[in-house]
């Protein structure tokens, strides 16, 4: 690798060509690479470390909800899919099918899981016999596969990593509460860990999960004003319990079908982080999930004591729980500044002979570009405080940017001009599929979620009585 | 679930029918269940929690070796396998093949990874250009698939979870050192975390990984004297680098092929824990990886203050870093003792009204069945000390049991009677495949590893000059 190659300038202009900016950023920061099979990606260490941090934070929250992890088989008999009518219709067109195993053609083709309601349902029917076996709350971290025609790293790939939670309950009320509870867990996680403000709400029939009674989504606004569905929570009613015979003897001596839920989030969230916070210099990573929270760049590294002092500082910060790295490569400080800015590291420290002499260090925030000097002796407090400040500011500025771009419309022209201007649009909807379809045809926007707690008078399409205020947006 | 069902007695006698004991234990402790597709298993929460503890401990060690995690695609083009001649021969017969995706027949069939040397090799060839890009050390935690005819939970299933490390180096020496280093990491982990003593050493040509220059394994003795290969580390030389074009420009200006390694361990290790430590009452779990390290059983739970004191004690222990659980179910104390013994929980505390009054608690060790009273006020120290003692004793007793069952033989009759008696056998071997084959045919034992540092005079089969002292055993 040639020294001092400037990355900046190699990234497309975020305002002029956002799709190219995205591709440049994910490749040049070594987050991903394209796999040999079309539509697949390799998640490289820099992005995988973000995923590990996401997993750690989410997993803690799931366990606090009494959810346990388990692992179910990758391959699902094709016949399982046909047991729930809507489910097979939704997923059959996009599955990958194993037809040969151990050199022999299989009697029944096996599907690589696109999601696991069916196979988990078949196991729950064995495990759930009595009301004492309920609630049953299991999550799995795994890979899933959905054959996609058009793919983009993190956002849409044939294989991706995710978590899928599956619970079974004795009553509809309890299952509905669980559905909403996990939606709330997702929202708290997205906002406090990823610094992504989200709108949560119920989805329309058209947009709901294949086989669900109701789907709730969380939607985040990306830099270009498009929406990213960053997680969903489904209330499945008794649909899968009936299809897979999840029955239990209740306390009243009556045999009943259980009520189930499922909920999932995926590596897509990494795309959400990139597209929510990124700027003209590249990534801006929220400290809670950043692989490197603080990079130390030695100034005049050849001078006596500089390297030693940088390493000593790194050790102190590491002990204080900071994910820290000293960049002691041969490149110039300027090159390093650019590289670590592109990689989105929240805090940069610069330490040279004069700083050491005066007991100071220079700190630069990635989010605001603010630069200030602090006493070296307070490094632990300074850096942890800065990381908290960055995390807080990232959420607040993302929220401010988004809130300015949520507009109301009462007709098709208003919806069109709003989404073309990169906004989310709130508009009344009568509840009819044809009006929903018309909006998509004419504006390329889809119904993201119902705007909770808001009411509209008239449907923006047909002028009929509105049943819901809906958030419309173009979406990834 | 009926109350007070006694599990003990439902498990087959470990001495009379070990295979049935194993099946009983893994099913009745709810570690696994059989999946709907033949040869697949569901890893239930109780076993998955062990896997999470294994992952945490191993991952820490990998990162200390400078290894980073990443994720590579599940599906590998069939043509990749044919690039390394030995590799395709070894794996082709046992792969699962995807032939249909998104409703269309694929132009090239895709193989579900049985291991990832090929696809990772293809990516490394893009990433490695200069000696500055080396060493490259990446690990992935994932699922793999090998179509097996005869399967047993954890030990041999068509799909299993594992980690596979893949490194590339500039020199043969560095790659060989890495191979041995990871073998040492595995051994330290197996002994200190799983309390499983292992024999590590080089494998014969017949037993080595398909495509490797040399394979090193770690072998553990199970309760019945059979060996379990619990992990392997491969030196791949330039085989995969040549097949996948992993070339770099060295500091001397010459283009060279890299030297690579790979190393893996899997959920098989859970089977190893069960079969190394289990006894007539069920599981005995090493504290470092036990999902529940300490169970508190209330005595006369209906009496005033008992439940409260049990919960308060649990809170104190949890704060001290102990994975603790209060069994406040409706079952009798006797039923609970049996259940938690079957589940292998290392330490049991019993707390009743009289204990509370006198400021005492009763502690029972799962490994030695020792029962003693301690002061309640010292609970944190008592329990953490007991857990350390159990961990240490489990390794020591497993080692003592094993060492008594390693015998020497200098002829086929000796080998046969030794393995029939449930021993590992050390015997000389001339290095010829036909002698190795003969031992397998006549005794069902295979060459596990070379006995490091030991020499033999004569081959136990042909009487020719021995090249190696070899550990032979029947194996899982």
């Amino acid at each position: 690798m040639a020294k001092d190659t400037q990355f900046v300038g190699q990234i497309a202009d975020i305002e002029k060509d956002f799709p190219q900016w995205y591709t440049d950023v994910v490749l040049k920061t070594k987050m991903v690479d394209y796999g040999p099979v079309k539509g697949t990606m390799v998640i490289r260490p820099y992005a995988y470390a973000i995923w590990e941090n996401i997993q750690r934070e989410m997993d803690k929250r799931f366990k606090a909800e009494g959810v346990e992890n388990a692992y179910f088989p990758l391959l699902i008999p094709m016949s399982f899919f046909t047991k729930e009518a809507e489910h097979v219709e939704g997923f059959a067109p996009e599955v990958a099918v194993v037809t040969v195993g151990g050199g022999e053609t299989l009697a029944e083709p096996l599907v690589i899981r696109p999601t696991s309601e069916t196979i988990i349902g078949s196991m729950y029917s064995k495990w759930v016999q009595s009301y004492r076996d309920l609630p049953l709350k299991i999550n799995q971290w795994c890979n899933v596969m959905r054959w996609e025609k058009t793919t983009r790293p993190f956002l849409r790939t044939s294989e991706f990593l995710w978590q899928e939670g599956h619970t079974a309950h004795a009553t509809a009320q309890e299952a509905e509460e669980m559905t909403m509870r996990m939606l709330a867990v997702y929202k708290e996680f997205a906002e406090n860990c990823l610094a992504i403000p989200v709108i949560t709400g119920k989805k329309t029939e058209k947009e709901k999960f294949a086989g669900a009674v109701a789907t709730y989504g969380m939607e985040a606004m990306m830099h270009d004003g498009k929406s990213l569905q960053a997680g969903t929570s489904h209330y499945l009613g008794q649909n899968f319990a009936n299809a897979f015979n999840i029955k239990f003897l209740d306390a009243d001596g009556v045999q009943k079908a259980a009520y189930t839920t499922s909920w999932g989030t995926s590596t897509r969230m990494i795309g959400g982080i990139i597209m929510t916070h990124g700027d003209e210099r590249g990534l801006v990573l929220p400290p809670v999930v950043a692989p490197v929270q603080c990079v130390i760049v030695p100034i005049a590294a050849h001078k006596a004591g500089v390297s030693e002092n940088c390493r000593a500082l790194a050790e102190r910060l590491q002990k204080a729980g900071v994910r820290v790295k000293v960049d002691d490569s041969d490149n110039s400080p300027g090159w390093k500044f650019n590289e670590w800015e592109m990689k989105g590291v929240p805090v940069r420290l610069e330490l040279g002979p004069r700083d050491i002499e005066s007991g100071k260090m220079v700190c630069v925030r990635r989010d605001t570009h603010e630069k200030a000097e602090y006493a070296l002796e307070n490094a632990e407090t300074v850096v942890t405080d800065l990381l908290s400040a960055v995390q807080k500011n990232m959420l607040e500025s993302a929220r401010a940017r988004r809130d300015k771009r949520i507009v109301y419309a009462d007709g098709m022209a208003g919806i069109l001009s709003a989404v073309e201007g990169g906004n989310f649009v709130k508009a009344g909807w009568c509840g009819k599929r044809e009006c929903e379809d018309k909006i998509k045809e004419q504006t390329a926007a889809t119904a993201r979620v119902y705007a909770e707690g808001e009411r509209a008078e008239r449907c923006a399409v047909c002028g009929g009585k509105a049943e819901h205020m809906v958030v419309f947006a173009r979406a990834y």
Side-chain angles (χ1 to χ4, degrees), chain A:
Chain A
M1 190 169 63
K3 276 197 286 179
D4 289 328
T5 307
Q6 290 296 331
F7 283 112
V8 172
Q10 297 186 345
I11 301 176
D13 188 316
I14 190 170
E15 305 304 340
K16 291 189 187 142
D17 190 350
F18 187 60
Q20 187 60 47
W21 173 90
Y22 182 80
T23 304
D24 287 348
V25 165
V26 296
L27 292 177
K28 285 179 205 290
T29 59
K30 298 188 180 172
M31 289 186 109
V32 293
D33 203 347
Y34 298 109
V37 176
K38 197 172 167 294
T40 65
M41 67 171 164
V42 176
I43 305 178
R44 299 184 72 174
Y46 196 62
Y48 197 84
I50 297 175
W51 183 238
E52 289 179 307
N53 291 333
I54 288 175
Q55 287 187 302
R56 189 192 57 241
E57 289 293 334
M58 289 201 111
D59 206 71
K60 200 162 65 181
R61 287 165 171 79
F62 297 163
K63 282 174 177 153
E65 299 294 328
V67 175
E68 296 182 298
N69 288 330
Y71 187 77
F72 295 84
L74 174 75
L75 299 182
I76 303 177
M78 183 70 101
S79 59
F80 278 27
F81 279 85
T82 59
K83 292 192 182 184
E84 213 294 329
E86 275 189 21
H87 196 66
V88 65
E89 202 184 310
F91 283 103
E94 55 184 42
V95 294
V97 188
V98 175
T99 57
V100 174
E104 286 169 23
T105 300
L106 302 178
E108 180 178 5
L110 301 172
V111 167
I112 298 182
R113 63 179 162 229
T115 179
S116 301
E117 280 76 8
T118 58
I119 195 159
I120 292 179
S122 80
M123 299 311 299
Y124 278 15
S125 76
K126 288 176 69 176
W127 300 342
V128 174
Q129 302 295 329
S130 146
Y131 70 97
R132 290 165 187 270
D133 301 324
L134 296 173
L136 185 55
K137 304 191 218 176
I138 292 182
N139 175 66
Q140 84 174 344
W141 292 97
C142 66
N143 54 343
V144 285
M145 187 157 292
R146 298 174 186 180
W147 216 257
E148 303 276 3
K149 298 264 181 233
T150 318
T151 58
R152 303 200 66 196
F154 298 122
L155 305 178
R156 201 170 289 278
T157 48
S158 62
E159 182 189 8
F160 54 94
L161 303 182
W162 81 344
Q163 62 68 217
E164 49 178 324
H166 297 266
T167 68
H169 306 265
T171 67
Q173 192 195 333
E174 211 186 280
E176 282 172 332
E177 279 168 9
M178 186 76 193
T179 309
M180 301 315 292
R181 180 80 203 123
M182 296 316 295
L183 186 70
V185 168
Y186 283 167
K187 184 183 167 84
E188 184 274 323
F189 166 80
E191 300 194 337
N192 293 330
C193 296
L194 309 183
I196 300 179
V198 292
I199 299 176
T200 54
K202 194 171 174 178
K203 298 241 164 202
T204 63
E205 277 298 299
K206 179 182 177 180
E207 299 288 337
K208 80 170 165 56
F209 177 75
V213 170
T215 288
Y216 299 83
M218 70 172 177
E219 301 284 325
M221 183 186 280
M222 302 294 103
H223 183 85
D224 57 357
K226 285 169 76 175
S227 187
L228 184 82
Q229 177 177 296
T232 47
S233 186
H234 314 295
Y235 170 58
L236 306 172
Q238 293 179 310
N239 292 352
F240 285 88
N242 285 328
F244 289 92
N245 201 35
I246 310 173
K247 298 257 163 69
F248 66 99
L249 197 65
D250 206 349
D252 59 10
V254 178
Q255 199 173 51
K256 300 172 185 172
Y259 297 82
T260 67
T261 81
S262 66
W263 26 277
T265 57
S266 74
T267 38
R268 205 171 203 230
M269 289 189 291
I270 299 173
I273 296 170
I274 300 168
M275 294 196 298
T276 299
H277 303 297
D279 65 15
E280 71 288 352
R281 302 191 192 177
L283 295 174
V284 183
L285 296 178
V288 173
V289 297
V292 179
Q293 296 175 310
C294 173
V295 65
I296 301 173
V297 176
I299 308 296
H302 57 282
K303 292 267 175 77
V306 172
S307 291
E308 294 77 357
N309 273 281
C310 287
R311 278 200 299 273
L313 178 57
E315 250 174 60
R316 283 172 55 198
L317 291 173
Q318 192 169 14
K319 273 191 198 143
V322 176
R323 294 189 289 274
V324 61
K325 185 184 167 73
V326 178
D327 183 349
D328 51 10
S329 67
D330 289 344
N331 301 301
S332 71
W335 189 94
K336 292 176 186 177
F337 297 168
N338 290 331
E339 195 194 21
W340 294 108
E341 284 190 338
M342 184 175 72
K343 293 196 122 183
V345 172
V347 170
R348 180 177 82 228
L349 302 184
E350 304 169 11
L351 199 62
R354 264 173 300 174
D355 303 302
I356 295 165
E357 208 177 325
S358 58
K360 303 272 187 189
M361 60 183 189
V362 173
C363 303
V364 185
R365 283 172 65 153
R366 177 65 180 89
D367 59 336
T368 58
H369 308 299
E370 277 175 83
K371 191 168 177 165
E373 262 192 5
Y374 295 92
L376 249 178
E377 60 177 348
N378 303 331
E380 292 89 343
T381 329
V382 167
V383 172
T384 50
D385 286 355
L386 272 176
L387 291 172
S388 301
V390 171
Q391 183 78 28
K392 187 156 171 278
N393 175 59
M394 284 178 71
L395 175 61
E396 281 167 8
S397 14
R399 198 190 298 280
R401 285 196 303 273
R402 181 198 66 179
D403 287 351
K404 275 194 298 194
R405 292 160 80 182
I406 302 178
V407 301
Y408 290 85
D410 54 14
M412 190 68 87
I415 296 175
L416 181 62
S417 78
V419 298
E420 298 223 307
N423 300 289
F424 280 13
V425 190
K426 288 182 176 171
W429 175 56
C430 60
K432 286 201 291 284
R433 174 70 179 261
E434 61 180 273
C435 288
E436 189 180 359
D437 287 345
K438 249 184 213 164
I439 290 175
K440 181 161 188 198
E441 280 157 29
Q442 297 185 22
T443 71
T446 50
R448 305 315 305 156
V449 290
Y450 296 157
E452 302 288 337
E454 292 190 66
R455 297 223 138 269
E457 286 293 304
R458 299 274 145 213
C459 173
V461 183
C462 69
K465 190 173 175 302
E467 282 202 354
H468 301 280
M469 178 73 92
V470 176
V471 180
F472 290 96
R474 290 176 180 167
Y476 280 95

